[in-house]
Amino acid sequence: MAIEGEKIVAVAKEAHIPKAEKIVDAAGKFVIPGIIDVHVHMREPGFTEKEDYTTGTKAAAAGGITFVCPQPNLVPVPNTVENYMMQIELGEKKAVVDFNPIASPLLYEKGQVPELAKAGTGWFKIFQRKAAYPYDTAAGTSNTAHIYKAFKAVAPTGLYVAVHPCNIDILNETVSDLEKANLKGDYVAYWSKTYSNEELTSAALQLGYLAEKAGCKYYALHCYLSDYIDVIRRMKASGQNVVASAEALGLFPMTKEEAGEFYGPFQSFEKENQEATWRGLLDGTIDFLGTDHAPTTKESVMEALSIREPEKRGGGNPMLEVYLPLMLTAVNKGMLGDVNQGLERMVKLCAEKAARAFSSYPRKGVIQVGSDADITIVDLDREDTITTEKYARYTKAHWTPYVGRKVKGVPTHTIVRGSIVMEEGEILVNPGYGKFIKPVR
Ligand SMILES: [Zn+2]
């Protein structure tokens, strides 16, 4: 392949490739489209003690990711054009990979939705509860009528609305049962009871109906529970315009030994849910993946545990630097079919289909002439062991719940618009290299 400036200018056998100033030798490796992560929490603005655009996007680059979509549970929430532009400015000053921040549609009454669509949000996101992990921000509401109004406001823009589904009555009842058993403050008990099939699936059923009624495209996220995946499969079979994603935490259960004090057992780790999720990846019910990189410092984790408020710790983990090695290991294990077929499927799930759904294809998500030269080079044979030093090197969190996990397959180069951003773990560009990517509509 040949790259000139920011673009791919030729894809051909070596003899047909023009002479180049610089050659990257990928012999023995695989050259794939740059990985797109549709679900990251960059924590900026508002919570930069946990992560910011520079540390978060360096972690992305180290993990072979070329393009990220930061989620809106921030302060201020990107629910006005002004707030949205603030995020773009921060990213353009500080990011090392490309990005598209996701806006909140909840200020629909103020006419912000069409403006935010024009400003370039890839889609919209709502948390169906006030507490938007782990913060109380304006990015969330448990008022279903308001969500329905937001769907109606977004419908004419043609964009998807992603909803973190939560049946608040079921969640509250679960928490009250934990309280009665004197377990409400117990982190392990809390996260093994909440996030249940009933909590998410019953909400998704209702959301799917309301989105369709509003004529709005529905994006179902956190699809790593068996009943939830079945519901999405039925919506798709009925012809509804819905896309679905699973996030890395749900795909790769951690063990107590690996995670230590960061251990949190989720219902998605149960065998039935694991099998359903990987089946959903294979049969196309789940369209694409994100990391749900949710960095939080060790100090704040420890504080939440000591004051027995599991909510404050949140359920997420730093994932950007481990995600691709975990995926490549799954490919090597045959979890997505035989290795070649598996790698192809992985590219669809981790790059191409998200670019298509959110209108940045074929600029992103594919290796072809005219596309941005966003390339991830992976060594599918290299074996390694996950350590904090190497796999939580750039995130401000500096911890990973997978310490000691053996992986086979790692990214060796991350190329964004023709520049090598990461080579063998080292970041080679300055903050501000990353660009805001506006979808083409
Ligand atoms: Zn998230």
Side-chain angles (χ1 to χ4, degrees):
M1 169 194 341
I3 296 168
E4 193 180 331
E6 299 193 337
K7 300 285 182 188
I8 296 170
V9 292
V11 182
K13 290 220 160 72
E14 208 176 331
H16 304 283
I17 292 284
K19 266 207 166 34
E21 267 165 48
K22 184 177 170 68
I23 293 170
V24 179
D25 184 4
K29 297 175 186 167
F30 285 90
V31 177
I32 61 176
I35 300 297
I36 297 173
D37 186 353
V38 294
H39 194 129
V40 300
H41 296 274
M42 285 291 153
R43 307 299 196 207
E44 182 167 17
F47 306 95
T48 49
E49 72 282 5
K50 300 186 175 192
E51 198 76 291
D52 61 43
Y53 264 101
T54 300
T55 55
T57 55
K58 280 186 174 179
I65 294 158
T66 55
F67 182 26
V68 296
C69 300
Q71 303 297 297
N73 52 334
L74 300 161
V75 177
V77 171
N79 53 8
T80 64
V81 174
E82 197 187 349
N83 293 350
Y84 189 76
M85 296 316 283
M86 182 200 298
Q87 230 184 302
I88 294 176
E89 267 168 47
L90 284 165
E92 295 224 304
K93 226 184 281 167
K94 299 178 71 175
V96 303
V97 304
D98 288 351
F99 62 95
N100 178 280
I102 302 310
S104 163
L106 289 175
L107 282 189
Y108 50 83
E109 276 178 334
K110 300 221 163 16
Q112 291 297 310
V113 165
E115 297 300 312
L116 286 162
K118 224 184 285 165
T121 187
W123 72 96
F124 288 96
K125 161 95 174 265
I126 299 171
F127 297 79
Q128 195 183 22
R129 47 182 298 182
K130 188 73 181 64
Y133 297 106
Y135 328 109
D136 231 0
T137 76
T141 177
S142 53
N143 185 323
T144 313
H146 290 173
I147 294 176
Y148 182 39
K149 283 184 172 170
F151 283 154
K152 286 194 206 168
V154 175
T157 69
L159 298 187
Y160 283 94
V161 179
V163 187
H164 174 129
C166 175
N167 180 326
I168 196 72
D169 294 326
I170 292 197
L171 174 63
N172 287 343
E173 197 64 18
T174 306
V175 173
S176 133
D177 288 345
L178 284 166
E179 217 160 6
K180 281 181 208 144
N182 204 21
L183 285 169
K184 192 191 163 200
D186 185 298
Y187 181 79
V188 168
Y190 183 90
W191 286 104
S192 63
K193 294 291 179 201
T194 58
Y195 249 77
S196 65
N197 237 320
E198 294 88 333
E199 178 188 321
L200 275 75
T201 311
S202 58
L205 261 170
Q206 193 179 40
L207 291 164
Y209 162 71
L210 292 172
E212 193 171 39
K213 186 84 180 160
C216 179
K217 295 178 183 172
Y218 176 45
Y219 169 10
L221 39 73
H222 300 324
C223 288
Y224 34 58
L225 297 163
S226 56
D227 296 349
Y228 186 8
I229 295 164
D230 280 341
V231 159
I232 300 306
R233 190 178 283 118
R234 288 209 299 270
M235 283 179 197
K236 288 189 161 190
S238 79
Q240 185 168 350
N241 197 333
V242 49
V243 289
S245 69
E247 291 74 28
L249 176 65
L251 298 174
F252 302 108
M254 59 183 87
T255 68
K256 246 186 181 144
E257 296 69 48
E258 292 168 338
E261 57 214 321
F262 302 109
Y263 181 62
F266 292 85
Q267 303 209 359
S268 59
F269 294 178
E270 288 165 10
K271 192 166 175 262
E272 187 197 339
N273 291 320
Q274 280 292 304
E275 286 172 1
T277 306
W278 286 91
R279 216 170 31 242
L281 294 182
L282 287 173
D283 75 10
T285 304
I286 297 168
D287 294 277
F288 40 80
L289 301 173
T291 60
D292 203 355
H293 175 73
T296 183
T297 58
K298 184 169 175 169
E299 293 69 44
S300 63
V301 170
M302 292 310 130
E303 204 213 320
L305 298 188
S306 79
I307 59 172
R308 293 178 62 80
E309 288 194 36
E311 276 270 80
K312 289 223 163 96
R313 180 246 191 258
N317 301 279
M319 294 300 290
L320 284 167
E321 291 161 85
V322 294
Y323 168 58
L324 191 51
L326 292 172
M327 280 308 294
L328 293 168
T329 305
V331 167
N332 267 316
K333 282 186 179 158
M335 291 173 81
L336 291 174
D338 69 58
V339 174
N340 280 325
Q341 186 188 28
L343 194 63
E344 232 166 81
R345 276 211 174 101
M346 192 199 82
V347 166
K348 287 210 159 69
L349 287 164
C350 301
E352 185 188 320
K353 288 180 86 178
R356 284 185 189 274
F358 304 130
S359 309
S360 49
Y361 188 92
R363 180 175 178 189
K364 304 290 191 190
V366 63
I367 293 178
Q368 71 179 35
V369 173
S371 297
D372 278 1
D374 290 357
I375 312 287
T376 303
I377 302 179
V378 301
D379 184 341
L380 207 51
D381 296 323
R382 193 184 299 176
E383 297 184 43
D384 205 359
T385 302
I386 291 180
T387 59
T388 305
E389 295 70 33
K390 200 164 164 191
Y391 288 89
R393 176 175 167 189
Y394 293 103
T395 171
K396 270 189 197 172
H398 291 310
W399 57 270
T400 164
Y402 299 101
V403 172
R405 172 86 51 118
K406 301 253 185 284
V407 290
K408 187 177 177 189
V410 295
T412 61
H413 296 72
T414 305
I415 300 172
V416 179
R417 284 175 288 103
S419 291
I420 301 176
V421 169
M422 182 281 288
E423 181 170 0
E424 295 291 354
E426 300 303 323
I427 304 299
L428 305 179
V429 300
N430 292 321
Y433 178 75
K435 262 192 191 165
F436 167 61
I437 300 299
K438 199 170 173 173
V440 183
R441 290 180 192 120

